Amino acid sequence: MRRIASITATLLLLVAIAQPALAQRYPLTEGWTFRNADSTDQWMQATVPGTVHSDLNGNGMIGDPLRSCTHKDLQWIEETDWEYTQTFTLPQNISNKNLELVFEGLDTYAQVLLNGTPILEANNMFRTWRIDVSGKVAPGSNTLLVKFFSAKRYASEQAAKLPFALPGGEWAHIRKAAYHFGWDWAPRLVTAGIWKPVYIDVVEPIRLASAWVKTVSADSKEATLSADFTISSSASTTATIRIFDMDERETLYRESVNVSKGNNIYTPTFSIKKPLLWWPNGMGEQNLYNLALIVDTDDGKELIQTQKLGIRTIEWVNQPDSLGESFYAKVNGMPVFAMGANLVPPHSLLPLADKEWTRLVADAKESNMNMLRVWGGGVYPPNSFFNACDSLGIMVWQDFMFACSMYPWDKDFLANVRQEAVDQIQRLRPHASLAMWCGNNEVDEGWHNWGWQKAFATDTTIAKQIWAGYNALFNQLLPDVVAKEDNGRFYWQSSPKYGWGKKESITHGDSHYWGVWWGKEPFEKYKQKVPRFMSEYGFQSYPVLSTLKNFGNGADIPDTSLINCHQKHPEGFDIIDKYIKDEGFRFKTIEQKLYVSQIVQAIGYQTAIEAHRFASPSCMGSLYWQMNDCWPAVSWSSIDFFGRWKAVQHRVKQLYQPVYVAPVFDGKRLKINLVSSLPYEFEADIIMHLYGADGTKMGVWKDFFEVLPNKAFTPLDIEITDPGIRSLNLVAIVEVKMGRKHLVTTMGVNKPWGKFRAVNPQIEMTTVTEKGKQYIKLKAKYPAFFVDVYNTTDDLVLKDNFIHMLPNEEYKIEVISGEAKGLKVRSIWNF
């Protein structure tokens, strides 16, 4: 990584990336109150940014919407109009200044009044609203009133204007997060409120409206870069634009320019010799250049924006080939196998998410991921999320916020979406981690595979209108805006390209495969249904016991009816039980069921990820559904609402290692599969030991091979000829080394995990403290699998858990948080 140098006094005024470089800002987040707009109730204290649900809860008017079954009794909130008000004071010296009132986010339908005068009608929670309030505010006291109107009612009114019903969800008619209306992993909590910061900016006669730098081309010898400066001026003048490297204290570009009245755009090109490139996690360093983009005005002022620039190229290869149609990314010319997950908003009440966005990026890094897909039924993540992705090497597949519904195509709707896209693209385009834009989630699939067209079988004219509207939005408007505002970034119309019932879903583009779970097919089906890029697949599990307790009061195990409130899939419990039984596991208590369900989920994801990785370069991506939760729930998540890793997250950490190997028992045959996502070739030593379940050594095999990037191969494929040996419970352990460097060790067994008859591993456990860090040491007499260390309070966070253990080897696990007291240990032997 590049060093971060101290910044000169001149640069202390630097503002956040993609924000106008303004001389003065007056935050307006304090002193807000709210009430039901249809009553004369007393005004109550409000938090901004916030939501009406969190404000009602904060004032004791409702219970916690995320606990118990409370959310089911809160639907009246979405049918109610709400008012928020604030009185603020401005200094005497603002009288003759140009002022701009900025709402970074209003959820969703709102009228804003300033000193009793309407100044804004807002209709999109994804847009930033800027209002010229020059001459409309006065020195001293001023009053803002924001009236929020029921989004549910507005959606119904808009839908009623059409002579037919659009297929999909009620959210289609409004620009609001779809998951707020409930999903099969989320409660229905249709929020309202000032959900992002609000402030007044002093607008100077000349200002740097936006500035950013992008990579045109790059290799180890030279990078060609293009900058984009937009300068707004109230009069003609002259200025100098500069690009300054704050680490090296070096000016990279300087030019004197003439500035006309209005907006002026300048797009200089410059180069950097021997650039330090930005790479995805696992492929190299995340080098970031700390740049200051500066405008020196003719009156001696400096207008400054900053950018942490990652120099890299990202090209998506989507071309016909012998198998169908490829789909993968090349970073700096190197093909990348995308390893990651789908991300949903980390809270139902979005302003309360706070640090969760960046924690999830850290979790992705720790889990050896290199990509996260931001799903189209949520929200565009905050800048902090993308800053973290830039720093940690997590590429972002960014959906536009459209999901699982057909959408209107009238003039006003499209104009609203166009400005939303402009706002979001301009905000996010400077980030090296932003890998692509995708038009929507499963809208194309819904139209062609979910029976939506059948409703219009008697009137194909309507069907043609709806599909023409789809094309106007996703094949014309959005790609046009991307081409104009973020030229060079890849745009993908819809994910997936084909639905999982179509044969082309395996051979063309990206795929969402839901034959497992929705289709109730066995996990083994993942080995047959290997697409070119798997962008969705998944399986549910229960969370850990402490999270389950937080379904209710946090202290007791909740009853069945309460647990049911936190499972939003209509068949979820039955499907989990079916797969537990099919995999051969058994349980007697709810605590045991939680563990077993997580092991089954881990087995499913392992089966899928191995199938995807070992099919490279034909398959070049594996993004499971889903990484996180928006509330405490039984869901597909690998990390629960409170940030607790499930078993599958620990397994994913191993499955997504840059070099991965797995022994595979296939009938009479024993194979080793190996793959590397490292961007270089190397020679590997591969050693395999074969054991009985009791640790008896039955054989060893070793050899060395050349390993190429993203070209999986099978270095060993032998037949176990003795039926007596095949009938035993066998354990294969494979290690890969590069010279003396250990790369990876994995285990495999010759029977389904739940039917494998493990021997009591007799695990010994001790705790030690070394250099101020606490560790748990484990040692097993016999092979142990999915070893889970936990404590009675269930607050233990370990760097590694649910591990497989070799006999008579010591394992040392770091304690991240919690007390290593009252420790317990379990493995599949217990089940």
Side-chain angles (χ1 to χ4, degrees):
M1 293 224 181
R2 304 184 86 228
R3 63 184 176 84
I4 299 177
S6 60
I7 302 176
T8 63
T10 303
L11 299 179
L12 291 176
L13 297 177
L14 297 182
V15 294
I17 187 171
Q19 294 295 339
L22 300 167
Q24 200 166 11
R25 173 169 293 176
Y26 298 97
L28 301 179
T29 55
E30 302 295 329
W32 287 87
T33 56
F34 82 110
R35 71 178 182 182
N36 184 328
D38 299 324
S39 73
T40 57
D41 292 346
Q42 182 178 358
W43 291 91
M44 296 175 286
Q45 183 176 353
T47 299
V48 172
T51 69
V52 65
H53 288 76
S54 51
D55 287 334
L56 288 168
N57 177 240
N59 283 275
M61 303 300 292
I62 63 172
D64 185 341
L66 306 190
R67 285 182 182 253
S68 302
C69 298
T70 305
H71 65 283
K72 292 189 173 183
D73 299 323
L74 301 181
Q75 306 313 310
W76 62 272
I77 298 174
E78 69 185 59
E79 299 171 354
T80 305
D81 297 339
W82 300 92
E83 293 180 336
Y84 280 70
T85 189
Q86 182 212 47
T87 298
F88 61 94
T89 301
L90 292 177
Q92 293 296 319
N93 62 0
I94 57 91
S95 296
N96 298 319
K97 293 184 177 180
N98 294 319
L99 303 175
E100 191 173 65
L101 174 62
V102 182
F103 287 93
E104 291 191 2
L106 290 169
D107 179 12
T108 293
Y109 289 90
Q111 181 187 50
V112 179
L113 294 89
L114 176 60
N115 295 327
T117 300
I119 60 170
L120 173 67
E121 300 285 338
N123 60 353
N124 189 327
M125 77 174 291
F126 306 123
R127 286 177 58 180
T128 296
W129 303 94
R130 301 179 182 277
I131 312 103
D132 184 357
V133 293
S134 306
K136 297 176 182 178
V137 293
S141 181
N142 298 269
T143 301
L144 274 174
L145 177 67
V146 184
K147 295 182 178 180
F148 289 98
F149 305 105
S150 166
K152 175 187 177 182
R153 185 175 68 246
Y154 189 89
S156 298
E157 292 171 353
Q158 292 300 108
K161 293 179 181 179
L162 287 176
F164 51 84
L166 282 176
E170 61 185 297
W171 56 84
H173 293 274
I174 62 176
R175 297 308 298 139
K176 177 174 175 56
Y179 84 109
H180 281 163
F181 292 85
W183 222 264
D184 52 11
W185 42 267
R188 183 183 177 103
L189 290 169
V190 184
T191 57
I194 306 170
W195 76 287
K196 287 188 174 184
V198 53
Y199 45 86
I200 288 178
D201 276 332
V202 177
V203 182
E204 299 295 342
I206 182 171
R207 65 169 173 165
L208 181 54
S210 69
W212 69 294
V213 176
K214 70 174 182 180
T215 306
V216 177
S217 62
D219 56 30
S220 60
K221 296 180 180 179
E222 184 177 27
T224 300
L225 307 169
S226 174
D228 188 308
F229 287 78
T230 299
I231 302 174
S232 296
S233 180
S234 60
S236 296
T237 184
T238 59
T240 299
I241 58 176
R242 288 187 291 132
I243 301 171
F244 184 76
D245 183 335
M246 293 188 288
D247 289 339
E248 300 301 322
R249 309 289 287 270
E250 176 186 1
T251 297
L252 302 176
Y253 183 86
R254 181 194 297 266
E255 179 186 0
S256 297
V257 296
N258 294 316
V259 180
S260 302
K261 181 179 180 180
N263 286 334
N264 301 260
I265 299 175
Y266 309 93
T267 56
T269 299
F270 63 102
S271 63
I272 294 178
K273 301 292 184 181
K274 296 182 179 180
L276 299 174
L277 300 181
W278 183 95
W279 290 95
N281 182 34
M283 295 184 68
E285 296 293 330
Q286 290 75 56
N287 296 294
L288 295 172
Y289 285 74
N290 289 304
L291 301 183
L293 293 89
I294 306 168
V295 174
D296 297 313
T297 66
D298 63 355
D299 60 356
K301 294 181 180 178
E302 285 185 333
L303 310 178
I304 307 170
Q305 289 190 24
T306 61
Q307 178 178 350
K308 288 192 173 184
L309 171 68
I311 297 178
R312 55 87 186 112
T313 60
I314 296 184
E315 171 195 359
W316 282 85
V317 181
N318 178 223
Q319 300 172 343
D321 61 17
S322 61
L323 301 176
E325 180 185 278
S326 63
F327 191 83
Y328 65 94
K330 292 172 70 175
V331 177
N332 301 326
M334 293 294 301
V336 179
F337 189 100
M339 299 182 286
N342 287 260
L343 200 73
V344 302
H347 208 295
S348 287
L349 309 180
L350 283 162
L352 300 181
D354 195 21
K355 298 179 181 179
E356 300 310 305
W357 288 102
T358 54
R359 178 188 56 76
L360 288 165
V361 180
D363 286 332
K365 166 80 170 182
E366 178 68 20
S367 302
N368 295 308
M369 295 181 180
N370 60 24
M371 179 175 282
L372 291 173
R373 175 182 176 235
V374 179
W375 171 73
V379 296
Y380 304 93
N383 292 337
S384 59
F385 169 83
F386 282 90
N387 291 338
C389 288
D390 290 346
S391 297
L392 299 179
I394 306 300
M395 296 180 292
V396 180
W397 167 320
Q398 179 64 60
D399 281 3
F400 285 100
M401 291 301 114
F402 299 90
C404 302
S405 183
M406 302 306 289
Y407 285 84
W409 60 90
D410 59 273
K411 178 181 177 182
D412 290 342
F413 185 86
L414 294 181
N416 194 5
V417 170
R418 178 178 291 276
Q419 189 56 51
E420 169 192 326
V422 170
D423 285 357
Q424 296 299 334
I425 292 172
Q426 289 184 353
R427 179 174 69 91
L428 300 179
R429 65 190 179 186
H431 290 282
S433 57
L434 180 60
M436 64 175 286
W437 295 98
C438 180
N440 65 73
N441 173 79
E442 297 183 345
V443 180
D444 185 297
E445 177 181 5
W447 181 251
H448 289 104
N449 297 327
W450 296 354
W452 287 355
Q453 297 183 55
K454 294 180 181 178
F456 310 104
T458 59
D459 190 345
T460 58
T461 301
I462 295 176
K464 290 179 180 178
Q465 290 178 6
I466 294 174
W467 187 244
Y470 175 96
N471 284 321
L473 177 54
F474 299 113
N475 286 323
Q476 296 174 29
L477 187 153
L478 288 177
D480 287 351
V481 177
V482 171
K484 180 181 178 181
E485 301 293 339
D486 197 12
N487 188 29
R489 196 95 59 180
F490 181 69
Y491 173 83
W492 186 239
Q493 174 216 149
S494 182
S495 180
K497 181 161 188 175
Y498 294 100
W500 59 272
K502 302 289 186 180
K503 63 180 182 180
E504 293 88 351
S505 69
I506 301 301
T507 57
H508 290 67
D510 74 314
S511 177
H512 297 186
Y513 188 71
W514 287 103
V516 174
W517 183 265
W518 281 101
K520 301 181 179 65
E521 296 173 346
F523 290 143
E524 289 295 305
K525 202 72 171 180
Y526 282 135
K527 297 180 180 180
Q528 302 172 27
K529 300 293 185 177
V530 180
R532 310 306 300 276
F533 190 111
M534 186 75 93
S535 49
E536 270 194 32
Y537 60 96
F539 190 84
Q540 284 196 356
S541 74
Y542 287 79
V544 299
L545 183 60
S546 56
T547 296
L548 189 80
K549 290 178 178 178
N550 275 286
F551 288 7
N553 60 21
D556 304 312
I557 296 177
D559 60 29
T560 301
S561 62
L562 198 156
I563 294 176
N564 289 344
C565 285
H566 289 253
Q567 165 62 280
K568 293 304 178 182
H569 190 281
E571 299 180 80
F573 291 126
D574 291 340
I575 295 175
I576 292 173
D577 288 346
K578 175 188 184 301
Y579 279 81
I580 288 175
K581 181 179 179 181
D582 290 349
E583 290 299 313
F585 287 102
R586 58 195 183 277
F587 59 87
K588 294 181 180 180
T589 67
I590 183 64
E591 292 94 333
Q592 293 176 343
K593 185 173 185 178
L594 304 187
Y595 171 85
V596 168
S597 75
Q598 290 193 24
I599 299 306
V600 170
Q601 182 189 36
I603 292 169
Y605 285 33
Q606 177 169 335
T607 304
I609 292 170
E610 288 184 348
H612 303 155
R613 292 201 68 184
F614 291 145
S616 66
S618 170
C619 176
M620 286 295 286
S622 185
L623 308 178
Y624 64 81
W625 182 270
Q626 61 201 70
M627 185 178 184
N628 64 307
D629 281 322
C630 67
W631 75 317
V634 180
S635 80
W636 290 271
S637 71
S638 56
I639 302 174
D640 73 26
F641 176 70
F642 297 104
R644 300 176 177 119
W645 285 26
K646 296 181 181 179
V648 66
Q649 193 69 38
H650 290 282
R651 299 309 302 158
V652 162
K653 181 178 178 179
Q654 183 176 55
L655 292 159
Y656 283 161
Q657 290 178 99
V659 178
Y660 182 72
V661 67
V664 179
F665 290 90
D666 184 11
K668 296 181 180 180
R669 308 202 72 80
L670 172 57
K671 305 176 183 179
I672 295 175
N673 292 326
L674 176 64
V675 68
S676 169
S677 62
L678 295 173
Y680 51 81
E681 303 176 12
F682 65 93
E683 285 192 350
D685 293 302
I686 305 173
I687 307 100
M688 185 189 72
H689 295 271
L690 188 63
Y691 292 89
D694 61 357
T696 302
K697 293 183 179 181
M698 306 189 70
V700 63
W701 172 92
K702 62 174 64 176
D703 207 336
F704 68 93
F705 295 86
E706 183 180 29
V707 181
L708 303 177
N710 295 308
K711 291 188 177 180
F713 68 105
T714 304
L716 176 69
D717 184 350
I718 60 174
E719 181 178 359
I720 302 176
T721 57
D722 189 335
I725 294 178
R726 292 200 305 268
S727 67
L728 300 175
N729 291 279
L730 302 176
V731 183
I733 301 169
V734 184
E735 180 184 13
V736 179
K737 292 182 177 181
M738 182 168 55
R740 295 183 177 182
K741 181 180 179 181
H742 170 265
L743 295 179
V744 61
T745 298
T746 60
M747 291 188 187
V749 297
N750 66 332
K751 296 180 181 179
W753 285 108
K755 298 173 183 177
F756 184 82
R757 298 280 69 89
V759 174
N760 181 355
Q762 301 181 30
I763 299 172
E764 299 175 356
M765 182 165 49
T766 58
T767 60
V768 295
T769 300
E770 298 177 1
K771 296 182 180 180
K773 293 184 177 181
Q774 198 171 20
Y775 296 90
I776 298 171
K777 290 186 176 181
L778 301 173
K779 191 173 184 180
K781 186 174 181 180
Y782 302 110
F785 312 100
F786 295 103
V787 177
D788 175 28
V789 179
Y790 62 107
N791 62 5
T792 53
T793 56
D794 210 15
D795 66 347
L796 197 62
V797 178
L798 304 177
K799 190 173 181 64
D800 296 291
N801 206 2
F802 294 94
I803 63 173
H804 299 335
M805 297 177 61
L806 301 175
N808 300 312
E809 289 202 13
E810 186 176 83
Y811 293 79
K812 188 169 70 172
I813 301 175
E814 182 181 347
V815 178
I816 303 300
S817 65
E819 289 289 331
K821 297 179 180 179
L823 295 177
K824 297 183 178 182
V825 63
R826 57 190 168 188
S827 68
I828 63 166
W829 172 79
N830 300 97
F831 302 91

